[in-house]
Amino acid sequence: MVKKHFDVIVVGCGGMGSAAAYHLARRGKSVLALERFNIPHAMGSSHGVNRIIRLAYYEDPSYVPLLRRSYELWRELQRESGNDLLRITGSIDASHEVGEVFGGALLSCQMHNLDHEVLTSAELTNRFPGYRLPDGHLALLQPEGGFLMSEHCLVAHVNGALHAGAIVHGQEQVLEWQERGNGVSVRTTRDSYEAEQLVLTAGAWNGALSEELLPLLSPERQVLAWFQPVEPAWFDPAAFPVFNLTVDEGRYYGFPVAGIPGFKVGRYHHLGEHIDPENFDRDPHPEDEAILRSFTERYFPAAAGPVMSMASCIFTNTPDEHFIIDRSRQHAPVVLVSPCSGHGYKFCSVVGEIVADLVIEGSTQHDTTLFGLDRFN
Ligand SMILES: Cc1cc2nc3c(=O)[nH]c(=O)nc-3n(C[C@H](O)[C@H](O)[C@H](O)COP(=O)(O)OP(=O)(O)OC[C@H]3O[C@@H](n4cnc5c(N)ncnc54)[C@H](O)[C@@H]3O)c2cc1C
């Protein structure tokens, strides 16, 4: 007989949902994880080869303990899956001296006693010749920064969840859910199910599944480009730390060549296009390339060769760009999980653990003060 009743249903099997299913199943829960597209796919927020992970957290120092646990869990997953998921390159956080990126990263290092070095633009270029930052910029080098192979991580979490007994379905969209008795009922494009608890990890589509989240989430079109370096050796992972960087043109991030050919670069809040994830222009256009190319030509000139690939992707922004991870205030059996605003991937592993804590224990030892719903009241 097909199983229809579960301890937990996880809606969305992207970065966060795959991690949540993995941790819940390993802690003995019966789990159904439902994904509307393929597993993995390139329609949401977790594709595009890799994602930066870094300890020097300019966004807020209180993320650092979560990051430490995240690193531990990614390394465990790497060992267990036998795949190369995490690559350490060091991370550069740079801006004008008073800028938020450098200053915030330095504060995190000082508060949490993280190894770091401060480099002028000239010192940075001396050490890593791919970089050509303006005079007056300061760069913080933190040796434990690097990147995660995000699609491989997602697959490793799904395989681990399956191994621990979770049921995972691709190509099955959740159409609606309702609170019923002490649990929930869920209707999909293929079937109906019941569960004691529901975890919404639907990324850019979370607003369509939760009236509580809808006014708080703003999905935004992003574009990534991979340019062929003119000096390939300078953009090898052994010679080029990942970066976050504020310049006159905005805030950008980038990677050495890895996974597919090309130096990868993106601009936070690319062209400021707020979108409906159900219906938006996913194709990259010349104006998307132009904005990333002019940045690369100015600050990484030896990387500004022909374009190799481009991809669009979605940020799901909250008003303060901190995550939402909390139990619903309107539906007791529902946990709402929206950790994006352009910086969530590195936390997937620890978010999976937090979700399992919330579902199983009703609370978590991790400090999630920054992520509560009540801050929006
Ligand atoms: C261009 C770009 C660059 C980024 N760079 C970084 C970085 O360097 N470092 C970093 O830490 N973070 C980064 N981020 C942020 C990070 O990638 C996201 O925080 C993370 O991927 C969000 O994962 P998610 O699980 O919430 O979303 P997703 O991975 O999109 O998963 C949501 C899933 O829910 C599914 N779904 C939706 N509705 C339904 C439904 N009704 N039924 C069933 N399934 C459904 C979707 O198909 C999707 O698979 C970046 C994001 C983007 C877009």
Side-chain angles (χ1 to χ4, degrees), residues 11 16 24 86 107 176 201 211 220-221 241 254 280 333 366:
V11 184
M16 302 296 164
L24 284 162
L86 171 64
L107 181 66
E176 60 173 1
T201 47
E211 281 179 15
E220 186 186 7
R221 178 177 178 270
F280 76 101
H366 291 293

Side-chain angles (χ1 to χ4, degrees), residues 74-200:
W74 287 123
R75 288 192 163 108
E76 267 178 44
L77 186 68
Q78 178 162 262
R79 272 195 300 277
E80 182 191 299
S81 68
N83 292 327
D84 273 346
L85 303 179
L86 171 64
R87 185 89 191 249
I88 302 299
T89 59
S91 56
I92 294 293
D93 291 291
S95 56
H96 196 266
E97 189 173 355
V98 293
E100 60 157 9
V101 171
F102 171 77
L106 184 62
L107 181 66
S108 274
C109 289
Q110 289 167 337
M111 281 183 67
H112 293 280
N113 212 10
L114 303 176
D115 284 349
H116 66 281
E117 282 180 71
V118 174
L119 305 173
T120 63
S121 304
E123 287 166 340
L124 182 65
T125 302
N126 234 357
R127 193 90 160 255
F128 306 110
Y131 283 83
R132 290 285 193 281
L133 301 196
D135 290 343
H137 262 57
L138 283 179
L140 184 139
L141 171 63
Q142 207 289 319
E144 288 145 285
F147 58 83
L148 293 156
M149 300 301 283
S150 53
E151 290 160 66
H152 296 172
C153 292
L154 193 163
V155 170
H157 270 141
V158 170
N159 285 337
L162 289 169
H163 186 70
I167 294 178
V168 183
H169 294 175
Q171 291 288 333
E172 182 166 357
Q173 182 179 356
V174 171
L175 298 174
E176 60 173 1
W177 61 269
Q178 283 178 333
E179 190 173 348
R180 185 153 300 168
N182 290 329
V184 290
S185 64
V186 171
R187 190 169 69 82
T188 75
T189 42
R190 292 176 188 259
D191 214 332
S192 296
Y193 310 94
E194 291 178 345
E196 309 300 312
Q197 299 198 52
L198 185 71
V199 173
L200 294 184

Side-chain angles (χ1 to χ4, degrees), residues 301-350:
V307 72
M308 303 298 279
S309 298
M310 293 185 73
S312 68
C313 194
I314 314 173
F315 276 4
T316 307
N317 301 306
T318 61
D320 59 5
E321 300 201 352
H322 295 303
F323 308 150
I324 297 173
I325 309 175
D326 206 347
R327 191 164 284 282
S328 161
R329 295 291 181 269
Q330 294 167 7
H331 302 282
V334 180
V335 176
L336 304 172
V337 187
S338 184
C340 185
S341 293
H343 65 115
Y345 197 91
K346 60 185 83 59
F347 298 93
C348 287
S349 56
V350 72

Side-chain angles (χ1 to χ4, degrees), residues 15-16 35-37 41 45-46 51-52 174 313 339 344-346:
M16 302 296 164
E35 169 54 51
R36 62 181 286 183
F37 300 121
H41 63 83
S45 303
S46 298
R51 292 289 185 271
I52 291 174
V174 171
C313 194
Y345 197 91
K346 60 185 83 59

